[in-house]
């Protein structure tokens, strides 16, 4: 039985004090023996604070982005090896905000995904369509294009040690959650597409849903056959809201 993964993307929010307090409240607020895993993605400067606050607990953590290069003249960037050095277990790649505003093309996201894998990090690959693309009937084509770029780089084997997050851009931070049926339809499409390449890898792959998930809608979303957890933005910024999602599904 796959474990549900509830992952909190703090985005560019918080402070050192908040990071310590929030990570420790989350780490101490859930039962590690349950069927739910918990992870948080703080801003880079607070990774160390989260590492300390979560030491000896089951709370996992990672960064919100990674550079695709190994080292060198990349001022302001952070390598996968540096994240491993800070004890990160995972990293988000291709979040829609990075795709839209920070130059993360499909090809660059694929390079980041591969860099994370080769450093031993679990990449959480974010994919999803905009409202315009959905209304234009392009959802499946967009998802396919985003997946194909990564498949071209790592092959289906790359997905054996990765997590996917389907995040329709129109549902992120808008309060407009995809309905459980709408989300399930795309999750099934993704799993079928990958199953055609390797049924075992696709069957074991965790596909999270992201976009306005909260305590009140998590249970029905995660009850869908192909939804294996959530990537949570706004509702991961207080321990109360984040643990409400855990409590709704644990
Ligand atoms: P949201 O963000 O939960 O605030 O919609 C999700 C995300 O961007 O990962």
């Amino acid at each position: 039985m796959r474990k549900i993964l509830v992952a909190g993307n703090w985005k560019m929010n918080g402070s050192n004090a908040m990071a310590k307090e929030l990570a420790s409240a989350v780490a101490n607020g859930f039962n590690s023996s349950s069927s739910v895993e918990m992870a948080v993605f703080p801003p880079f400067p607070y990774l160390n604070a989260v590492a300390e606050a979560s030491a000896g607990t089951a709370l996992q953590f990672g960064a919100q982005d990674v550079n695709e290069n190994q080292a060198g003249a990349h001022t302001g960037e952070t390598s996968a090896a540096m994240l491993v050095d800070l004890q990160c277990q995972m990293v988000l790649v291709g979040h829609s905000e990075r795709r839209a505003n920070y130059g993360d093309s499909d090809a660059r996201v694929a390079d980041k995904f591969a860099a994370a894998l080769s450093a031993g990090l679990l990449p959480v690959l974010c994919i999803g369509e905009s409202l315009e693309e959905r209304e234009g009937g392009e959802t499946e084509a967009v998802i396919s294009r985003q997946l194909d770029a990564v498949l071209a780089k790592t092959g289906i084997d790359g997905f054996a040690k990765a997590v996917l997050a389907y995040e329709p851009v129109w549902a992120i931070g808008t309060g407009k959650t995809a309905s459980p049926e709408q989300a399930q339809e795309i999750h099934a499409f993704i799993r079928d597409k990958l199953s055609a390449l390797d049924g075992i890898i696709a069957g074991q792959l965790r596909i999270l849903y992201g976009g306005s998930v909260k305590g009140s809608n998590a249970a029905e979303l995660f009850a869908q056959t192909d939804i294996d957890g959530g990537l949570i933005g706004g509702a991961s910024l207080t321990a109360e809201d984040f643990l409400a999602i855990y409590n709704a599904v644990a």
Side-chain angles (χ1 to χ4, degrees):
M1 195 28 211
R2 278 193 305 269
K3 277 194 180 184
I4 291 282
L5 174 62
V6 177
N9 171 12
W10 295 359
K11 309 194 181 188
M12 198 174 74
N13 292 297
S15 63
N16 203 32
M18 176 269 209
K20 282 183 196 163
E21 208 179 296
L22 179 53
S24 118
V26 171
N28 294 309
F30 77 100
N31 178 354
S32 65
S33 66
S34 82
S35 55
V36 183
E37 283 184 85
M38 302 283 280
V40 293
F41 295 84
F44 287 116
Y46 307 138
L47 284 168
N48 213 26
V50 169
E52 281 170 17
S54 63
T57 76
L59 180 65
Q60 302 172 59
F61 64 92
Q64 298 169 14
D65 188 29
V66 63
N67 187 272
E68 63 275 31
N69 297 288
Q70 286 187 3
H74 305 286
T75 302
E77 293 294 302
T78 303
S79 72
M82 291 170 185
L83 298 180
V84 171
D85 200 17
L86 285 173
Q87 297 156 51
C88 291
Q89 296 99 342
M90 41 182 92
V91 64
L92 301 183
V93 294
H95 188 278
S96 67
E97 287 151 21
R98 300 217 57 90
R99 289 180 188 267
N101 306 322
Y102 299 97
D104 275 8
S105 62
D106 291 334
R108 186 158 189 229
V109 170
D111 288 345
K112 290 182 174 195
F113 183 94
L117 277 184
S118 39
L121 287 168
L122 182 83
V124 179
L125 172 66
C126 305
I127 56 176
E129 82 289 0
S130 66
L131 184 59
E132 205 185 359
E133 289 162 340
R134 175 162 281 259
E135 287 174 346
E138 295 165 44
T139 300
E140 294 186 356
V142 170
I143 301 287
S144 283
R145 193 198 71 219
Q146 292 170 336
L147 287 173
D148 286 344
V150 176
L151 286 166
K153 181 85 191 172
T154 68
I156 184 67
D157 289 351
F159 288 82
K161 288 194 177 139
V163 169
L164 263 182
Y166 168 60
E167 299 201 294
V169 179
W170 48 272
I172 295 179
T174 57
K176 274 191 225 158
T177 321
S179 68
E181 297 72 26
Q182 270 175 326
Q184 165 58 27
E185 189 188 347
I186 304 303
H187 283 236
F189 168 76
I190 294 167
R191 207 181 301 280
D192 285 351
K193 177 179 164 69
L194 298 175
S195 283
L197 300 170
D198 189 313
I200 293 173
I201 291 176
Q204 289 173 349
L205 177 68
R206 285 194 285 181
I207 310 177
L208 314 182
Y209 166 79
S212 301
V213 177
K214 37 189 190 287
S216 56
N217 60 23
E220 55 170 1
L221 283 162
F222 302 170
Q224 301 297 310
T225 321
D226 291 296
I227 303 185
D228 309 309
L231 182 54
I232 326 297
S236 72
L237 289 173
T238 69
E240 193 189 351
D241 288 345
F242 195 48
L243 289 169
I245 296 170
Y246 169 81
N247 287 321
V249 297

